[in-house]
Protein backbone atom coordinates (compact mmCIF):
# COMPACT_ATOMS: atom_id res chain seq x y z
CA UNK A 1 0.00 0.00 0.00
CA UNK A 2 2.83 2.37 0.90
CA UNK A 3 4.61 1.67 -2.42
CA UNK A 4 1.36 2.41 -4.29
CA UNK A 5 1.05 5.77 -2.50
CA UNK A 6 4.63 6.70 -3.31
CA UNK A 7 4.12 5.65 -6.95
CA UNK A 8 0.94 7.75 -7.12
CA UNK A 9 2.71 10.88 -5.82
CA UNK A 10 5.62 10.36 -8.22
CA UNK A 11 3.13 9.96 -11.07
CA UNK A 12 1.34 13.19 -10.14
CA UNK A 13 4.62 15.10 -9.96
CA UNK A 14 5.60 13.72 -13.37
CA UNK A 15 2.27 14.83 -14.82
CA UNK A 16 2.70 18.33 -13.38
CA UNK A 17 6.20 18.55 -14.89
CA UNK A 18 4.94 17.38 -18.28
CA UNK A 19 2.39 20.17 -18.45
CA UNK A 20 4.66 22.89 -17.08
CA UNK A 21 4.89 24.52 -20.51
CA UNK A 22 1.10 24.66 -20.74
CA UNK A 23 0.37 26.12 -17.30
CA UNK A 24 -0.74 29.45 -18.72
CA UNK A 25 -3.13 27.67 -21.09
CA UNK A 26 -4.87 25.86 -18.24
CA UNK A 27 -4.48 28.52 -15.54
CA UNK A 28 -7.83 30.06 -16.38
CA UNK A 29 -10.91 27.99 -17.15
CA UNK A 30 -13.32 30.91 -17.52
CA UNK A 31 -13.53 32.61 -20.90
CA UNK A 32 -14.92 35.94 -19.67
CA UNK A 33 -12.20 37.03 -17.26
CA UNK A 34 -10.74 40.49 -17.61
CA UNK A 35 -7.99 40.41 -20.22
CA UNK A 36 -4.31 41.11 -19.72
CA UNK A 37 -4.85 44.19 -21.91
CA UNK A 38 -7.43 45.45 -19.41
CA UNK A 39 -5.01 45.12 -16.49
CA UNK A 40 -2.19 46.65 -18.51
CA UNK A 41 -4.43 49.60 -19.31
CA UNK A 42 -5.22 50.07 -15.63
CA UNK A 43 -1.52 50.03 -14.73
CA UNK A 44 -0.83 52.58 -17.45
CA UNK A 45 -3.69 54.74 -16.15
CA UNK A 46 -2.30 54.59 -12.62
CA UNK A 47 1.21 55.33 -13.82
CA UNK A 48 -0.09 58.48 -15.50
CA UNK A 49 -1.38 59.68 -12.10
CA UNK A 50 1.81 58.90 -10.20
CA UNK A 51 4.16 61.83 -9.54
CA UNK A 52 7.54 61.97 -11.25
CA UNK A 53 10.31 59.89 -9.67
CA UNK A 54 7.88 57.71 -7.73
CA UNK A 55 7.37 54.02 -7.05
CA UNK A 56 4.14 52.28 -6.00
CA UNK A 57 3.97 49.14 -3.86
CA UNK A 58 1.09 46.65 -3.84
CA UNK A 59 0.87 43.51 -1.71
CA UNK A 60 -1.34 40.47 -2.16
CA UNK A 61 -3.88 39.62 0.52
CA UNK A 62 -2.73 37.33 3.35
CA UNK A 63 -3.85 33.74 3.62
CA UNK A 64 -6.36 33.43 6.48
CA UNK A 65 -6.48 30.31 8.64
CA UNK A 66 -9.89 28.88 9.45
CA UNK A 67 -9.01 26.00 11.75
CA UNK A 68 -6.05 23.68 12.17
CA UNK A 69 -4.50 23.17 8.75
CA UNK A 70 -7.64 24.41 6.98
CA UNK A 71 -7.46 27.89 5.43
CA UNK A 72 -10.31 30.04 4.18
CA UNK A 73 -10.77 30.10 0.40
CA UNK A 74 -8.25 32.64 -0.82
CA UNK A 75 -9.50 36.03 -1.98
CA UNK A 76 -7.08 38.43 -3.64
CA UNK A 77 -6.70 42.04 -2.49
CA UNK A 78 -9.03 43.94 -4.89
CA UNK A 79 -6.60 46.67 -5.99
CA UNK A 80 -3.89 44.07 -6.56
CA UNK A 81 -6.27 42.04 -8.74
CA UNK A 82 -7.43 45.16 -10.60
CA UNK A 83 -3.87 45.92 -11.65
CA UNK A 84 -2.64 42.38 -12.33
CA UNK A 85 -5.38 39.76 -12.65
CA UNK A 86 -3.19 37.60 -10.42
CA UNK A 87 -5.04 35.45 -7.88
CA UNK A 88 -2.23 33.75 -5.97
CA UNK A 89 -0.99 34.69 -2.46
CA UNK A 90 2.53 35.60 -1.33
CA UNK A 91 3.07 38.12 -4.11
CA UNK A 92 3.98 41.77 -4.55
CA UNK A 93 3.75 44.29 -7.39
CA UNK A 94 6.19 47.17 -7.79
CA UNK A 95 5.31 49.89 -10.32
CA UNK A 96 7.74 52.64 -11.31
CA UNK A 97 6.75 55.96 -12.85
CA UNK A 98 9.81 55.89 -15.08
CA UNK A 99 11.71 52.88 -16.40
CA UNK A 100 14.40 51.71 -13.98
CA UNK A 101 17.54 49.60 -14.20
CA UNK A 102 17.15 47.07 -11.38
CA UNK A 103 20.12 44.73 -11.12
CA UNK A 104 20.66 45.01 -14.87
CA UNK A 105 16.98 44.62 -15.76
CA UNK A 106 15.29 47.60 -17.43
CA UNK A 107 11.63 47.70 -16.47
CA UNK A 108 8.81 49.83 -15.13
CA UNK A 109 7.04 47.02 -13.27
CA UNK A 110 7.90 43.83 -11.42
CA UNK A 111 5.56 41.15 -10.14
CA UNK A 112 7.07 38.92 -7.45
CA UNK A 113 5.49 35.46 -7.28
CA UNK A 114 5.92 32.06 -5.65
CA UNK A 115 8.10 29.57 -7.47
CA UNK A 116 6.45 26.53 -9.00
CA UNK A 117 6.73 23.52 -6.70
CA UNK A 118 5.09 20.39 -8.15
CA UNK A 119 5.15 18.56 -4.81
CA UNK A 120 3.11 21.43 -3.29
CA UNK A 121 0.92 21.88 -6.35
CA UNK A 122 -0.29 18.31 -5.92
CA UNK A 123 -2.07 19.54 -2.81
CA UNK A 124 -3.05 23.11 -3.61
CA UNK A 125 -3.20 23.36 -7.42
CA UNK A 126 -0.99 24.76 -10.13
CA UNK A 127 0.88 27.99 -9.68
CA UNK A 128 1.57 30.36 -12.51
CA UNK A 129 5.25 30.69 -11.66
CA UNK A 130 7.69 33.31 -12.88
CA UNK A 131 7.61 32.09 -16.49
CA UNK A 132 3.84 32.35 -16.75
CA UNK A 133 3.49 35.98 -15.66
CA UNK A 134 4.37 37.75 -18.90
CA UNK A 135 2.50 35.52 -21.39
CA UNK A 136 -0.68 35.27 -19.32
CA UNK A 137 -0.79 38.56 -17.40
CA UNK A 138 1.24 40.80 -19.69
CA UNK A 139 3.36 42.18 -16.86
CA UNK A 140 6.73 43.24 -18.19
CA UNK A 141 9.00 41.68 -15.56
CA UNK A 142 8.53 38.81 -13.11
CA UNK A 143 10.76 37.59 -10.33
CA UNK A 144 10.52 35.01 -7.59
CA UNK A 145 9.39 36.53 -4.32
CA UNK A 146 12.45 35.11 -2.52
CA UNK A 147 14.66 37.11 -4.92
CA UNK A 148 13.42 40.37 -3.39
CA UNK A 149 15.68 39.72 -0.40
CA UNK A 150 18.84 40.32 -2.42
CA UNK A 151 17.44 42.74 -4.98
CA UNK A 152 19.39 46.00 -5.07
CA UNK A 153 16.71 48.65 -5.12
CA UNK A 154 17.37 52.02 -3.51
CA UNK A 155 14.03 53.41 -2.34
CA UNK A 156 15.71 56.56 -1.05
CA UNK A 157 16.35 57.80 -4.59
CA UNK A 158 12.63 58.16 -5.27
CA UNK A 159 10.81 61.38 -4.42
CA UNK A 160 7.76 59.35 -3.40
CA UNK A 161 7.32 55.75 -2.23
CA UNK A 162 3.59 55.12 -2.55
CA UNK A 163 1.80 52.33 -0.72
CA UNK A 164 -1.60 51.31 0.57
CA UNK A 165 -2.17 50.18 4.15
CA UNK A 166 0.23 47.27 4.61
CA UNK A 167 -1.56 43.91 4.99
CA UNK A 168 -2.26 42.85 8.56
CA UNK A 169 -2.07 39.28 9.79
CA UNK A 170 0.57 37.92 7.41
CA UNK A 171 2.07 34.80 9.00
CA UNK A 172 5.69 33.78 8.56
CA UNK A 173 6.08 30.14 7.62
CA UNK A 174 9.15 28.53 9.12
CA UNK A 175 11.85 28.06 6.50
CA UNK A 176 10.14 30.37 3.99
CA UNK A 177 12.13 33.36 2.79
CA UNK A 178 9.63 34.59 0.22
CA UNK A 179 6.21 34.53 1.86
CA UNK A 180 4.06 37.65 2.24
CA UNK A 181 5.38 38.32 5.74
CA UNK A 182 8.93 38.32 4.41
CA UNK A 183 8.03 40.58 1.45
CA UNK A 184 6.49 43.14 3.81
CA UNK A 185 9.42 43.03 6.23
CA UNK A 186 11.97 43.32 3.42
CA UNK A 187 10.10 46.31 2.00
CA UNK A 188 10.14 47.99 5.41
CA UNK A 189 13.87 47.31 5.76
CA UNK A 190 14.82 48.47 2.26
CA UNK A 191 12.64 51.59 2.34
CA UNK A 192 13.29 52.60 5.95
CA UNK A 193 9.54 52.45 6.51
CA UNK A 194 8.06 54.78 7.57
CA UNK A 195 10.43 57.05 5.65
CA UNK A 196 10.20 60.75 4.85
CA UNK A 197 9.48 60.00 1.18
CA UNK A 198 6.77 57.47 2.06
CA UNK A 199 3.15 58.32 1.23
CA UNK A 200 0.29 56.16 2.51
CA UNK A 201 -2.58 58.29 1.17
CA UNK A 202 -1.95 59.41 -2.42
CA UNK A 203 -2.07 55.87 -3.82
CA UNK A 204 -5.38 55.20 -2.04
CA UNK A 205 -6.81 58.36 -3.61
CA UNK A 206 -5.50 57.57 -7.10
CA UNK A 207 -6.86 54.02 -7.03
CA UNK A 208 -10.27 55.35 -5.98
CA UNK A 209 -10.26 57.78 -8.92
CA UNK A 210 -9.58 54.93 -11.32
CA UNK A 211 -11.99 52.41 -9.85
CA UNK A 212 -14.93 54.81 -9.50
CA UNK A 213 -15.13 54.99 -13.31
CA UNK A 214 -15.94 51.50 -14.56
CA UNK A 215 -14.73 50.25 -17.92
CA UNK A 216 -17.09 48.36 -20.23
CA UNK A 217 -15.53 45.00 -19.33
CA UNK A 218 -16.11 45.74 -15.65
CA UNK A 219 -19.73 46.73 -16.26
CA UNK A 220 -20.33 43.44 -18.07
CA UNK A 221 -19.09 41.49 -15.03
CA UNK A 222 -21.10 43.66 -12.64
CA UNK A 223 -24.26 43.01 -14.63
CA UNK A 224 -23.62 39.26 -14.46
CA UNK A 225 -23.17 39.44 -10.68
CA UNK A 226 -26.36 41.48 -10.35
CA UNK A 227 -28.33 39.10 -12.59
CA UNK A 228 -27.26 36.13 -10.47
CA UNK A 229 -28.33 37.95 -7.33
CA UNK A 230 -31.74 38.93 -8.70
CA UNK A 231 -32.38 35.36 -9.90
CA UNK A 232 -31.63 34.16 -6.37
CA UNK A 233 -34.04 36.69 -4.82
CA UNK A 234 -36.81 35.59 -7.19
CA UNK A 235 -36.23 31.91 -6.42
CA UNK A 236 -36.66 32.61 -2.70
CA UNK A 237 -39.89 34.51 -3.39
CA UNK A 238 -41.23 31.40 -5.15
CA UNK A 239 -40.14 28.97 -2.46
CA UNK A 240 -40.60 30.89 0.79
CA UNK A 241 -43.27 29.78 3.25
CA UNK A 242 -43.84 29.71 7.03
CA UNK A 243 -41.79 27.02 8.77
CA UNK A 244 -38.64 27.69 6.76
CA UNK A 245 -35.48 28.36 8.69
CA UNK A 246 -33.38 31.37 7.79
CA UNK A 247 -30.54 29.03 6.80
CA UNK A 248 -32.81 27.30 4.29
CA UNK A 249 -33.43 30.67 2.66
CA UNK A 250 -29.68 31.20 2.61
CA UNK A 251 -29.19 27.77 1.03
CA UNK A 252 -31.52 28.61 -1.87
CA UNK A 253 -29.82 31.95 -2.45
CA UNK A 254 -26.28 30.66 -2.42
CA UNK A 255 -27.18 27.61 -4.50
CA UNK A 256 -28.37 29.97 -7.21
CA UNK A 257 -25.15 31.97 -6.96
CA UNK A 258 -22.99 28.89 -7.41
CA UNK A 259 -25.16 27.34 -10.09
CA UNK A 260 -24.68 30.46 -12.22
CA UNK A 261 -20.92 30.58 -11.76
CA UNK A 262 -20.33 32.89 -8.79
CA UNK A 263 -17.04 32.16 -7.02
CA UNK A 264 -18.01 33.70 -3.68
CA UNK A 265 -20.70 35.54 -1.83
CA UNK A 266 -19.90 39.26 -1.91
CA UNK A 267 -20.46 39.35 1.88
CA UNK A 268 -22.11 37.02 4.41
CA UNK A 269 -25.74 36.52 3.33
CA UNK A 270 -28.22 38.36 5.56
CA UNK A 271 -31.52 36.47 5.91
CA UNK A 272 -33.19 38.08 8.92
CA UNK A 273 -36.75 37.19 9.83
CA UNK A 274 -38.93 38.74 12.54
CA UNK A 275 -36.86 40.61 15.10
CA UNK A 276 -33.70 39.74 13.18
CA UNK A 277 -34.86 41.89 10.26
CA UNK A 278 -33.93 44.94 12.36
CA UNK A 279 -30.27 43.93 12.81
CA UNK A 280 -28.40 45.60 9.97
CA UNK A 281 -25.61 43.05 9.56
CA UNK A 282 -27.30 39.98 10.97
CA UNK A 283 -25.70 36.80 9.64
CA UNK A 284 -26.44 33.93 12.04
CA UNK A 285 -29.44 32.76 9.96
CA UNK A 286 -30.70 30.15 12.46
CA UNK A 287 -34.22 31.33 13.35
CA UNK A 288 -37.40 29.57 12.27
CA UNK A 289 -39.70 31.83 10.22
CA UNK A 290 -43.29 32.27 11.39
CA UNK A 291 -46.49 32.95 9.51
CA UNK A 292 -46.68 36.73 9.97
CA UNK A 293 -42.95 37.49 9.84
CA UNK A 294 -41.23 39.81 7.42
CA UNK A 295 -37.81 38.76 6.22
CA UNK A 296 -35.03 41.04 5.03
CA UNK A 297 -32.72 39.44 2.47
CA UNK A 298 -29.53 41.43 1.86
CA UNK A 299 -27.26 39.48 -0.48
CA UNK A 300 -24.78 39.68 -3.30
CA UNK A 301 -23.02 37.30 -5.65
CA UNK A 302 -19.40 37.96 -6.53
CA UNK A 303 -18.26 37.17 -10.04
CA UNK A 304 -14.66 37.50 -11.24
CA UNK A 305 -13.90 40.11 -8.60
CA UNK A 306 -17.08 42.19 -8.99
CA UNK A 307 -19.87 42.17 -6.43
CA UNK A 308 -23.60 42.81 -6.36
CA UNK A 309 -25.55 44.06 -3.34
CA UNK A 310 -29.34 43.68 -3.50
CA UNK A 311 -31.75 43.98 -0.57
CA UNK A 312 -35.40 42.96 -0.61
CA UNK A 313 -37.98 42.66 2.16
CA UNK A 314 -40.94 40.30 1.85
CA UNK A 315 -43.67 38.67 3.94
CA UNK A 316 -42.90 35.04 4.75
CA UNK A 317 -46.49 33.96 3.99
CA UNK A 318 -46.58 35.87 0.70
CA UNK A 319 -49.05 38.56 1.76
CA UNK A 320 -48.45 41.87 3.53
CA UNK A 321 -50.47 42.74 6.61
CA UNK A 322 -51.90 46.27 6.59
CA UNK A 323 -49.12 47.50 8.91
CA UNK A 324 -46.40 45.82 6.87
CA UNK A 325 -47.82 47.31 3.67
CA UNK A 326 -47.72 50.84 5.12
CA UNK A 327 -44.04 50.60 6.06
CA UNK A 328 -43.08 48.79 2.86
CA UNK A 329 -44.71 51.44 0.67
CA UNK A 330 -43.09 54.21 2.71
CA UNK A 331 -39.65 52.70 2.16
CA UNK A 332 -40.44 52.13 -1.52
CA UNK A 333 -41.35 55.81 -1.93
CA UNK A 334 -38.16 56.87 -0.13
CA UNK A 335 -36.13 54.66 -2.47
CA UNK A 336 -37.80 56.20 -5.52
CA UNK A 337 -37.05 59.73 -4.33
CA UNK A 338 -33.47 58.76 -3.56
CA UNK A 339 -33.01 57.39 -7.08
CA UNK A 340 -34.39 60.63 -8.55
CA UNK A 341 -31.70 62.53 -6.66
CA UNK A 342 -28.94 60.40 -8.21
CA UNK A 343 -27.88 62.72 -11.02
CA UNK A 344 -24.81 64.68 -12.09
CA UNK A 345 -24.21 67.82 -10.11
CA UNK A 346 -25.85 66.59 -6.91
CA UNK A 347 -23.78 65.84 -3.85
CA UNK A 348 -23.13 62.28 -2.76
CA UNK A 349 -25.53 62.76 0.14
CA UNK A 350 -28.40 64.12 -1.97
CA UNK A 351 -30.11 60.70 -2.38
CA UNK A 352 -29.82 60.04 1.35
CA UNK A 353 -31.27 63.46 2.16
CA UNK A 354 -34.22 62.89 -0.20
CA UNK A 355 -34.95 59.43 1.24
CA UNK A 356 -34.66 60.68 4.82
CA UNK A 357 -37.15 63.47 4.18
CA UNK A 358 -39.71 60.96 2.89
CA UNK A 359 -39.23 58.55 5.78
CA UNK A 360 -39.32 61.32 8.38
CA UNK A 361 -42.62 62.71 7.07
CA UNK A 362 -44.08 59.24 6.68
CA UNK A 363 -43.25 58.12 10.20
CA UNK A 364 -44.65 61.37 11.60
CA UNK A 365 -47.87 60.92 9.61
CA UNK A 366 -48.20 57.39 11.00
CA UNK A 367 -47.67 58.65 14.54
CA UNK A 368 -44.55 56.55 15.03
CA UNK A 369 -42.34 59.58 15.72
CA UNK A 370 -43.09 63.14 16.86
CA UNK A 371 -39.86 64.99 16.09
CA UNK A 372 -37.70 64.94 12.94
CA UNK A 373 -34.63 63.87 14.90
CA UNK A 374 -36.41 60.73 16.09
CA UNK A 375 -36.12 59.27 12.58
CA UNK A 376 -32.60 58.09 13.43
CA UNK A 377 -34.10 55.52 15.78
CA UNK A 378 -35.56 53.75 12.74
CA UNK A 379 -33.29 54.93 9.93
CA UNK A 380 -29.77 55.08 11.36
CA UNK A 381 -27.82 54.10 8.26
CA UNK A 382 -26.99 55.65 4.90
CA UNK A 383 -28.63 54.83 1.60
CA UNK A 384 -25.52 53.70 -0.26
CA UNK A 385 -21.82 52.99 -0.31
CA UNK A 386 -19.09 55.12 -1.84
CA UNK A 387 -15.47 55.02 -2.87
CA UNK A 388 -13.16 57.58 -1.29
Amino acid sequence: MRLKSIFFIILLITVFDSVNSQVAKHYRYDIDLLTKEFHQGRRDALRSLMPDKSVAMFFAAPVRNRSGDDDYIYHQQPDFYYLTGFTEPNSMLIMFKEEQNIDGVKTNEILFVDDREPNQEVWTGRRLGKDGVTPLLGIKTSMLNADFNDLKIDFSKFDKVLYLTLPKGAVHEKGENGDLYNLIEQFKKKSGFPADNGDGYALFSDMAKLRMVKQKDELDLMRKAIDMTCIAEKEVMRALEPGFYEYQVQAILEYEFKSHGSEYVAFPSICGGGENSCTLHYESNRRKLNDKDMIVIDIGAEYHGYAADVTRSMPVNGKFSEEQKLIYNLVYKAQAEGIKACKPGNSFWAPHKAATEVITKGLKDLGIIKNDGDVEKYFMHGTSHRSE
Side-chain angles (χ1 to χ4, degrees):
M1 182 64 71
R2 183 179 178 186
L3 288 174
K4 287 183 179 180
S5 297
I6 293 172
F7 173 76
F8 179 66
I9 291 173
I10 292 173
L11 177 62
L12 284 174
I13 293 173
T14 303
V15 170
F16 270 105
D17 285 339
S18 70
V19 299
N20 185 50
S21 63
Q22 300 183 16
V23 170
K25 178 180 177 182
H26 296 286
Y27 187 70
R28 296 178 170 183
Y29 294 108
D30 293 287
I31 61 174
D32 59 347
L33 291 165
L34 295 172
T35 65
K36 64 182 179 181
E37 290 77 18
F38 170 87
H39 298 294
Q40 177 66 63
R42 298 297 83 204
R43 295 196 300 278
D44 290 342
L46 175 61
R47 196 174 280 111
S48 71
L49 297 176
M50 293 167 58
D52 293 341
K53 296 184 67 177
S54 65
V55 56
M57 308 293 300
F58 294 89
F59 294 90
V63 173
R64 302 293 188 186
N65 182 257
R66 181 178 181 275
S67 178
D69 62 355
D70 180 25
D71 294 328
Y72 285 102
I73 295 174
Y74 186 70
H75 190 285
Q76 188 58 276
Q77 201 277 344
D79 289 328
F80 193 94
Y81 179 75
Y82 180 79
L83 294 171
T84 66
F86 193 57
T87 57
E88 296 179 27
N90 296 318
S91 46
M92 178 180 69
L93 173 69
I94 303 182
M95 287 180 51
F96 304 101
K97 174 71 173 185
E98 299 89 7
E99 187 175 71
Q100 304 291 315
N101 188 325
I102 307 295
D103 279 4
V105 177
K106 291 184 178 181
T107 188
N108 62 0
E109 56 191 16
I110 308 172
L111 181 63
F112 292 85
V113 301
D114 262 332
D115 198 3
R116 295 209 59 214
E117 295 184 44
N119 61 326
Q120 290 295 319
E121 294 174 62
V122 167
W123 299 97
T124 57
R126 295 174 187 165
R127 297 176 185 172
L128 188 57
K130 183 179 73 171
D131 294 336
V133 167
T134 297
L136 185 66
L137 303 181
I139 294 173
K140 189 171 182 179
T141 305
S142 62
M143 296 183 180
L144 297 180
N145 48 21
D147 292 342
F148 185 56
N149 296 343
D150 300 320
L151 192 68
K152 293 180 175 61
I153 176 169
D154 182 5
F155 284 99
S156 67
K157 75 176 185 178
F158 297 101
D159 288 348
K160 288 289 183 181
V161 178
L162 309 171
Y163 50 85
L164 301 175
T165 301
L166 300 184
K168 295 180 175 62
V171 177
H172 180 56
E173 298 291 340
K174 186 176 181 180
E176 279 285 345
N177 62 353
D179 57 21
L180 181 63
Y181 178 90
N182 187 73
L183 289 171
I184 295 169
E185 292 304 308
Q186 285 294 320
F187 164 65
K188 290 179 179 178
K189 180 180 178 181
K190 292 176 185 291
S191 67
F193 179 88
D196 290 340
N197 63 347
D199 189 328
Y201 178 77
L203 191 57
F204 176 84
S205 178
D206 287 344
M207 289 302 299
K209 289 176 185 175
L210 293 180
R211 298 194 63 190
M212 279 193 289
V213 180
K214 301 302 183 188
Q215 310 300 302
K216 179 185 179 300
D217 291 347
E218 295 178 280
L219 292 173
D220 290 342
L221 295 179
M222 290 171 67
R223 289 187 179 101
K224 289 182 180 181
I226 293 167
D227 286 345
M228 294 173 191
T229 306
C230 292
I231 288 169
E233 293 270 15
K234 290 174 182 177
E235 286 302 314
V236 165
M237 290 179 187
R238 294 187 182 99
L240 186 62
E241 59 183 37
F244 268 42
Y245 284 86
E246 292 166 339
Y247 56 75
Q248 291 175 303
V249 175
Q250 179 183 359
I252 295 171
L253 297 166
E254 295 181 8
Y255 167 80
E256 292 297 331
F257 292 174
K258 281 292 186 183
S259 68
H260 287 88
S262 168
E263 296 96 337
Y264 314 97
V265 292
F267 49 87
S269 298
I270 300 169
C271 306
E275 68 272 12
N276 296 330
S277 65
C278 298
T279 303
L280 298 184
H281 288 170
Y282 172 77
E283 58 188 54
S284 301
N285 299 342
R286 305 303 300 175
R287 181 182 181 276
K288 187 175 183 179
L289 300 172
N290 299 316
D291 180 53
K292 295 182 180 180
D293 283 342
M294 288 285 291
I295 183 171
V296 173
I297 299 173
D298 186 351
I299 57 169
E302 183 175 318
Y303 187 68
H304 298 352
Y306 289 81
D309 185 349
V310 179
T311 303
R312 291 293 181 268
S313 300
M314 62 195 75
V316 170
N317 63 11
K319 186 176 181 179
F320 290 105
S321 68
E322 288 303 314
E323 293 84 357
Q324 290 168 348
K325 188 186 300 183
L326 287 169
I327 299 299
Y328 184 91
N329 285 335
L330 174 58
V331 175
Y332 188 84
K333 183 180 179 182
Q335 179 192 49
E337 291 303 312
I339 291 172
K340 286 181 185 178
C342 291
K343 57 185 180 182
N346 277 0
S347 74
F348 171 81
W349 290 108
H352 178 76
K353 183 175 182 291
T356 302
E357 288 173 354
V358 171
I359 290 177
T360 301
K361 183 179 184 304
L363 292 180
K364 287 175 74 175
D365 290 345
L366 292 171
I368 295 174
I369 64 173
K370 294 181 179 180
N371 303 308
D372 289 1
D374 294 338
V375 70
E376 294 183 4
K377 180 179 178 182
Y378 301 96
F379 186 37
M380 70 291 294
H381 55 82
T383 54
S384 54
H385 301 283
R386 67 173 175 175
S387 295
E388 297 291 347

